[in-house]
Amino acid sequence: MENKIAEMLNELGITANLRGYFYAKEAIALLYDNPMIPIVKGVYPIIAEKYKVPPKGVERCIRNAIEVAYKRASVDTLKDYFHGMVLSTAESLAT
C-alpha cells in the first residue's frame, strides 16, 4: 500500500523533498484504513503528534504539496486521479 501511495504522489509531482509528501502519504493511508475519520480533527492531529509539529503545520504542508501537484502534473494526470473534479483549476494553472 505504501508503495502505491508513493507512486501516486510522484505521478502527481509531489516528491519526497516536500514535507507535505510525507504528511500526505500518512493522511492517505489513515483515510484508506478509516474513511470516516475527520480530516481536521482526526488526521492532522495524528500526523502532527507523530512528527512533533502543530496540526496547522501539517495542513499547510499538505496544501503546499497539493499546489505543487497542480503546477507539476499534467491536466490529464489530474483528470485521471480526480475524475475531472479539478479540471477548471488545473487547466487555468496549466496555461
Side-chain angles (χ1 to χ4, degrees), residues 33-53:
D33 291 337
N34 185 359
M36 300 308 291
I37 189 170
I39 294 174
V40 174
K41 296 199 185 263
V43 173
Y44 294 159
I46 291 168
I47 296 169
E49 186 175 319
K50 178 178 179 177
Y51 288 94
K52 308 280 191 266
V53 297

Side-chain angles (χ1 to χ4, degrees), residues 7-15 17-18 20-21 24 28 61-79 81-82 86 89-91 93-94:
E7 182 181 317
M8 177 194 67
L9 291 172
N10 284 314
E11 285 179 16
L12 289 168
I14 301 172
T15 53
N17 65 315
L18 301 169
Y21 169 86
I28 292 165
C61 288
I62 290 175
R63 285 183 186 274
N64 179 63
I66 292 167
E67 288 175 17
V68 166
Y70 273 108
K71 292 175 184 171
R72 290 184 182 170
S74 71
V75 173
D76 289 336
T77 301
L78 291 170
K79 281 183 193 178
Y81 276 102
F82 300 107
V86 293
T89 305
E91 286 178 333
L93 288 171

Side-chain angles (χ1 to χ4, degrees), residues 5-6 13 19 21 26 38 44 53-54 56 58 80 87-88 90 93 95:
I5 294 170
R19 268 186 281 174
Y21 169 86
E26 293 272 341
Y44 294 159
V53 297
K56 287 284 187 191
V58 172
D80 289 345
L87 178 58
S88 60
L93 288 171
T95 58

